[in-house]
Amino acid sequence: MTHFQYVINLKTYEESTGSRTENFMNPLSNKTYESEVKFALSIPQLHLATKFKSVISQHVDYVTYGAHTGHIIMEDLISLGVMESLLNHSERRLPYPIIKSTLERAKELNFGIITCSQDMAETEALCEIGAETIAYEPPELIGGSVSVSMARPGIIEEIAQLCREYGSKLLVGAGIKNRIDVETSKKLGAVGVLVSSGIVKSNDPFLSLNSLMI
Ligand code: G3P
């Protein structure tokens, strides 16, 4: 059974960094919903060493132990209990060969990667190199008030079909703010959503999260 997945990306907003990160982690990361829902909180990198559960990284590098100043290695994340990361987010784009090497390394270590894609062509290229979970996020809609499910339903359907053919899972994100956005995404073939500003910048993040539950 595929669990519908909610990924809350805290990014590096003023509201979600520094001493405020923990305000999100405490109630959000330990929140339990019905068993058919999977929940992940993508937190600022400097806060990854945490006791809180369901935490994932916003970025990871393909290099292993060694002289790699400033890199985030999977082995170190795993040692902290962090078993998954976003990759190639629109705000942290990577060259294709780097994505490929990172996916290969992740497979070796059984580390989960949610690879972000901006369009159909990129999704196809990612499927071809074995991306197991793809997050389609049109960059022009990120942080805006019009959701991906309202603005790009046809593309979501096509991308979902493509992902099914390759055996990849599809999440969608950008501008998701309410239950209808989530329900529509699911209906169009997504198995989860990525949400940021609708929760992080909301006056009541927990109420906003609850309002997305389907
Ligand atoms: O990673 C999720 C993100 O890029 C979507 O952002 O603010 O449109 O929900 P937002």
Side-chain angles (χ1 to χ4, degrees):
M1 172 188 169
T2 306
H3 298 256
F4 194 78
Q5 188 169 358
Y6 288 83
V7 179
I8 313 306
N9 184 1
L10 295 188
K11 302 196 177 184
T12 50
Y13 283 119
E14 189 172 0
E15 292 88 339
S16 59
T17 50
S19 57
R20 294 165 296 271
T21 306
E22 196 148 315
N23 297 340
F24 284 91
M25 281 199 278
N26 198 357
L28 285 185
S29 77
N30 291 328
K31 200 156 177 57
T32 47
Y33 288 98
E34 296 74 31
S35 56
E36 60 270 16
V37 170
K38 193 177 160 201
F39 184 76
L41 192 62
S42 182
I43 66 171
Q45 303 301 123
L46 293 174
H47 299 263
L48 284 166
T50 174
K51 63 182 187 302
F52 294 108
K53 297 187 187 115
S54 312
V55 159
I56 70 170
S57 184
Q58 296 183 3
H59 168 78
V60 67
D61 293 296
Y62 70 92
V63 292
T64 182
Y65 299 114
H68 304 297
T69 304
H71 287 74
I72 300 167
I73 66 170
M74 287 174 211
E75 290 86 344
D76 215 6
L77 290 174
I78 292 168
S79 77
L80 296 175
V82 177
M83 298 304 297
E84 192 171 18
S85 179
L86 299 179
L87 189 75
N88 193 41
H89 192 279
S90 280
E91 294 144 12
R92 187 69 162 85
R93 297 277 288 165
L94 295 168
Y96 181 79
I98 301 285
I99 297 174
K100 192 165 180 289
S101 301
T102 311
L103 291 177
E104 286 165 4
R105 183 91 195 105
K107 266 196 187 119
E108 282 167 22
L109 295 176
N110 205 19
F111 186 86
I113 299 280
I114 300 171
T115 315
C116 299
S117 137
Q118 298 191 332
D119 55 32
M120 184 76 176
E122 188 173 20
T123 304
E124 185 149 27
L126 295 174
C127 285
E128 273 170 12
I129 56 173
E132 286 172 3
T133 306
I134 292 176
Y136 166 57
E137 298 200 318
E140 64 280 9
L141 298 177
I142 291 177
S145 55
V146 179
S147 70
V148 60
S149 51
M150 293 300 150
R152 306 277 186 275
I155 299 181
I156 295 178
E157 260 182 332
E158 283 176 33
I159 287 184
Q161 175 60 32
L162 181 74
C163 287
R164 276 193 296 275
E165 284 163 19
Y166 278 90
S168 305
K169 288 197 293 180
L170 176 69
L171 312 180
V172 296
I176 290 185
K177 301 263 186 316
N178 58 48
R179 185 171 291 131
I180 294 172
D181 293 332
V182 180
E183 279 169 351
T184 307
S185 302
K186 188 175 180 189
K187 207 166 127 206
L188 294 168
V191 299
V193 289
L194 278 88
V195 190
S196 183
S197 53
I199 290 177
V200 178
K201 298 190 87 64
S202 142
N203 290 334
D204 189 336
F206 312 110
L207 194 67
S208 300
L209 177 63
N210 283 330
S211 77
L212 296 180
M213 291 297 143
I214 54 172

